[in-house]
Amino acid sequence: MILNDRWDLFLLNHIVLKSDFRLITENRSSQFLPDSNLLLGPESDLFIEKGAIVEGSILNTKDGPIYIGKNAEIMEGSMIRGGLALCESSTIKMGAKIYGATTIGPHCKVGGEVNNVVFQEYSNKGHDGFLGNSIIGAWCNLGADTNTSNLKNNYSNVKTYSYIEEKEIQTELKFIGLSMGDYSKCAINTMFNTASVVGVACNIFTDGFPNKHISSFSWINGNKIAAYDLLKAYNDANNMMNRRDQSLSDADKKILAHLSNSPS
């Protein structure tokens, strides 16, 4: 499989999920699904690893498999439609609505309404709000009631920022949501326009729509845009990572330093 554009990550995810599900579960036995849940679709397309917790939820495997990783949890009241990969030690919060094809990386917390999203590890969307057709990097945090548009009001094909061409380009897609780089975060009630692109290590808190393209290391306070100092970015990232008993490695710092001096 060839990825030509970043949005291929979510566009082709349904294929990857089915392939990976077969590879990971072949000749293995799933844990039993507790009776408090309702399963719609083939039981063979549900796999629950040891230590996972699933209670009082609806799981639908008719459109794709559902994989629940080691020590992961789906809290009560959740409605899950495959394909889904919920990776190790990640949590789907109470009452969440998750549509496929979605991948939730290790150690994430996800709630609200999610449709066709790829989350990298240690990222949180822990509260209500819609996120669709999106790519979320590692160590990101979306504040409560953050919402993203994934479709224009006139239903036309969308434009989005291209890091290759360093400008906004026309696509052939109608559905593109948010692309957010590692270590970026937004405040409560943030609203993102269709096909928004947020770089690495950004901090966004505004009562309106931020720009569709936000450069890496940007500090967005209302209409004010300032540079996010590299040392402060290191410190803030470490503060977040320390809560998970992690810290920035020297390699991480070198990568961030390089990105801070690169086109955004």
Side-chain angles (χ1 to χ4, degrees):
M1 182 182 299
I2 298 174
L3 302 178
N4 294 305
D5 298 293
R6 67 171 182 273
W7 42 87
D8 287 336
L9 289 170
F10 62 78
L11 280 177
L12 301 177
N13 197 31
H14 66 291
I15 299 173
V16 175
L17 286 173
K18 289 180 180 179
S19 175
D20 285 354
F21 184 86
R22 303 304 172 204
L23 288 172
I24 292 171
T25 65
E26 187 174 11
N27 298 322
R28 299 179 63 216
S29 296
S30 170
Q31 303 302 299
F32 290 107
L33 180 69
D35 291 339
S36 64
N37 300 282
L38 173 62
L39 176 64
L40 306 173
E43 187 176 0
S44 60
D45 282 338
L46 172 67
F47 195 94
I48 305 173
E49 296 280 9
K50 290 182 178 180
I53 299 171
V54 190
E55 294 287 357
S57 296
I58 301 172
L59 290 77
N60 187 332
T61 61
K62 292 181 179 180
D63 292 332
I66 296 175
Y67 172 83
I68 304 171
K70 182 180 178 182
N71 299 324
E73 181 175 8
I74 298 179
M75 291 184 175
E76 54 272 22
S78 296
M79 294 177 284
I80 313 295
R81 181 179 287 260
L84 169 74
L86 179 65
C87 296
E88 182 174 349
S89 298
S90 283
T91 300
I92 292 176
K93 305 291 287 291
M94 287 195 300
K97 295 177 285 187
I98 311 292
Y99 299 83
T102 289
T103 296
I104 300 174
H107 305 279
C108 292
K109 296 178 181 179
V110 174
E113 184 177 6
V114 171
N115 180 17
N116 190 202
V117 177
V118 176
F119 290 89
Q120 299 296 324
E121 69 272 14
Y122 288 101
S123 285
N124 294 334
K125 180 201 172 299
H127 304 284
D128 286 341
F130 174 73
L131 179 67
N133 308 104
S134 296
I135 306 162
I136 305 299
W139 295 102
C140 295
N141 189 75
L142 277 64
D145 286 323
T146 292
N147 282 284
T148 64
S149 169
N150 64 340
L151 174 68
K152 294 174 66 175
N153 284 348
N154 62 7
Y155 300 92
S156 62
N157 292 348
V158 299
K159 294 180 179 180
T160 191
Y161 183 80
S162 166
Y163 283 95
I164 296 174
E165 299 191 30
E166 297 183 18
K167 65 179 182 180
E168 192 172 61
I169 62 169
Q170 181 69 56
T171 76
E172 297 180 355
L173 300 179
K174 286 183 168 55
F175 290 93
I176 301 181
L178 172 66
S179 298
M180 177 177 278
D182 297 351
Y183 304 105
S184 286
K185 47 195 172 291
C186 63
I188 61 171
N189 298 318
T190 304
M191 301 180 294
F192 288 102
N193 275 303
T194 311
S196 289
V197 177
V198 175
V200 171
C202 295
N203 191 5
I204 303 163
F205 43 106
T206 176
D207 56 1
F209 285 98
N211 292 336
K212 277 189 64 177
H213 171 230
I214 297 174
S215 299
S216 296
F217 295 91
S218 292
W219 187 281
I220 312 295
N221 181 359
N223 294 323
K224 299 177 181 178
I225 303 176
Y228 198 171
D229 178 75
L230 180 60
L231 294 180
K232 181 171 175 54
Y234 286 165
N235 183 68
D236 291 346
N238 265 322
N239 287 341
M240 176 171 57
M241 297 174 77
N242 287 341
R243 296 181 61 201
R244 306 287 193 97
D245 297 320
Q246 304 286 321
S247 61
L248 278 176
S249 66
D250 289 339
D252 293 329
K253 291 179 179 179
K254 288 179 180 178
I255 291 170
L256 288 172
H258 172 75
L259 291 174
S260 70
N261 294 311
S262 300
S264 56

